[in-house]
Amino acid sequence: MKIGVNLFESAVLDGDPGCAALLACRPDLVVCHMSPGETAGAEGTQKAARLRDLFLSEDVDLIADFEFQNVAGSAVDADGIDWCRAPDGGHRLHPNPAFLKTLADGGRLIGAIYDEFDYAVSTGNLSLWLGSKRTFGAPAFPEPETGDVYAHGEAVAQAIAQDVRRVKAAGVPAFAGEHVFPVFYHLFARCGMVPNYKAQKESCSNLQYAVAAGAALQYHLPLWSCIDMWYRQKFPGHSADELYRNLLFAWHAGVSLAYVESAPALTDGGALNANGKALQRFISGYKGRSPGYTAADYRPEIGIIRYDDGWWGQNAFWAHGLFGSRRLPHDRRSTEWIRAVHLVTRGESGRFSFNLNRIDHTLVKRHRAFSTMNALAVFDDRVRAQTLSSLKLVFLCGRYISRETMADVGRLVRENGLVCVCPRRFAPERFSLLADTAYTEIADGKGSWIVTDELLSGRLRRRLSPYFGRKNEIRLPFGDREVRFSLSDNGDLELIEQIGQDEK
């Protein structure tokens, strides 16, 4: 696993002693916050060249991170390119290719990140309010002409895929998101964006992992992680111990690249503080090492399949509709997958959301770093049998599931003994007259279908409990081995075991 740290362009170029202290830890890479803004013409290209040369001299890889567009209403450079507005009129990152090409010269640029893109889309760029108190957001994509959620989702996917092609054509090897909320991993991955989950922050890290790892596995992409020291408006909002445990989890969970956000939380007065020393200790112990597998080898046993419409349980001012459009209100179908997660985590995740940013009683809920989880992964509506073949239990949720996926699930039920839980609308037609909406289990070949609209019923919980694993344990199977994490009562990682195939 490549190990990195998040620094800021201005501090790096100014020779900030805190940056120097972190670079002295010899990370594999630096995720550098870029603020090209109005200087991204000739002056911006010169700045890119300075950064490129600096990282070449430091012999460290570079990932360019772009976040300024989330708060800036406009940033037109000397070449006439507005970095904050796409050609279709949507308010989203639109970088100058010359800037990216200059950074890429020399071969140290290994990727770019669209910071908090999921947040920008799902909230209609609510963070623009931070840049101007008179601006309360702007759609990341053109508003839908109709109320057809699927048609709008396909239009968004086409636009993102075009953005990805444009960035990669400028010489950027990989383009990733960085997700606050557990949504759009699959939509972005389908368009070629690397899943990059925020650990710590306001969600249980392993639940974010389950969603992001499912996207990486389904779309054959690497998996990245941002170990984020922010907690709501508190920075740093996590301890050095939690930071180290999250790095350890990422390494054992097959993450290919992980970095810590960010320098101000890791240094004081130009020297490493307790957080920085935790990162230094991890680099010293794990740099250059591999667990012998990656997320591509993950073999989940519980799957959740749902249409990735951007619903994570938001309410109050977060609720801007599906895909961030008020013209596309959510309904019960969008919330089903959240209840499925609550069920399989033995009730440890929220009934309405497993992110603590929901504006309700969760504001006073204590942050839990990790939760009980047994081999869970989340997939989108077009996942195929090869990716699902290791599953023992699957939930069908959401607005749409493709015919091909439904056919594959049916075959896995009959031939592999898969247990499939679904609402009546997804039940095979030959069973629909037999299914009672409260609860019906129907044998089908080696497996069975459980048709119910009540995912949190006691009857369903009792029937499926053997699949959920042990309380206060995280279990992740990888090919010929599995990893088990033992948790304390407050969700801290206490113990890690790697078990080979012959020991299972």
Side-chain angles (χ1 to χ4, degrees), residues 8-305:
F8 291 83
E9 163 201 292
S10 57
V12 170
L13 292 176
D14 292 343
D16 178 79
C19 290
L22 289 165
L23 288 170
C25 296
R26 306 312 303 166
D28 294 302
L29 62 103
V30 166
V31 174
C32 189
H33 258 74
M34 303 286 177
S35 300
E38 297 178 0
T39 65
E43 185 179 345
T45 304
Q46 292 171 7
K47 181 168 60 176
R50 290 177 60 201
L51 287 165
R52 174 201 65 204
D53 294 345
L54 186 150
F55 288 108
L56 281 168
S57 66
E58 290 286 346
D59 191 29
V60 63
D61 286 337
L62 167 65
I63 295 177
D65 181 287
F66 298 98
E67 189 174 18
F68 73 96
Q69 72 281 350
N70 296 347
V71 297
S74 179
V76 180
D77 68 22
D79 294 332
I81 295 176
D82 190 341
W83 285 62
C84 301
R85 189 166 296 276
D88 61 18
H91 186 99
R92 62 184 188 275
L93 178 66
H94 184 65
N96 190 326
F99 186 89
L100 298 176
K101 288 177 181 177
T102 302
L103 283 178
D105 288 344
R108 296 312 313 220
L109 183 72
I110 63 172
I113 291 173
Y114 193 136
D115 205 317
E116 300 190 357
F117 189 24
D118 70 295
Y119 172 96
V121 175
S122 66
T123 66
N125 279 295
L126 185 63
S127 288
L128 288 177
W129 181 83
L130 297 173
S132 170
K133 298 302 184 284
R134 294 173 295 177
T135 304
F136 291 90
F141 302 93
E143 285 289 292
E145 296 181 0
T146 70
D148 188 321
V149 173
Y150 187 84
H152 183 63
E154 291 303 289
V156 168
Q158 291 176 16
I160 295 174
Q162 186 173 353
D163 291 347
V164 172
R165 288 192 295 269
R166 185 174 183 271
V167 168
K168 289 187 174 182
V172 182
F175 191 29
E178 191 185 274
H179 297 243
V180 178
F181 304 125
V183 292
F184 294 142
Y185 288 111
H186 299 80
L187 175 66
F188 295 174
R190 176 155 60 101
C191 301
M193 293 185 73
V194 174
N196 180 17
Y197 73 96
K198 278 187 181 290
Q200 301 187 150
K201 205 66 172 77
E202 291 94 21
S203 292
C204 285
S205 298
N206 57 298
L207 298 184
Q208 281 270 48
Y209 168 87
V211 188
L217 190 63
Q218 180 178 343
Y219 288 101
H220 310 290
L221 291 168
L223 179 61
W224 296 1
S225 179
C226 168
I227 317 297
D228 194 337
M229 296 300 289
W230 280 92
Y231 181 71
R232 295 192 176 118
Q233 300 306 308
K234 186 178 180 181
F235 183 75
H238 303 275
S239 69
D241 182 61
E242 186 179 352
L243 164 62
Y244 190 85
R245 292 174 195 270
N246 270 280
L247 285 165
L248 204 59
F249 173 83
W251 191 86
H252 282 278
V255 171
S256 298
L257 183 155
Y259 58 95
V260 180
E261 181 180 342
S262 59
L266 304 173
T267 61
D268 291 317
L272 299 180
N273 59 20
N275 297 325
K277 290 176 181 177
L279 173 61
Q280 182 184 47
R281 179 161 64 97
F282 187 82
I283 292 173
S284 297
Y286 286 88
K287 182 178 178 179
R289 292 178 55 194
S290 167
Y293 53 85
T294 69
D297 302 302
Y298 187 37
R299 297 296 177 263
E301 295 177 6
I302 301 176
I304 297 172
I305 300 175

Side-chain angles (χ1 to χ4, degrees), residues 374-387:
N374 186 36
L376 174 66
V378 177
F379 306 105
D380 73 14
D381 58 299
R382 55 194 71 199
V383 65
R384 300 304 306 272
Q386 182 177 2
T387 305

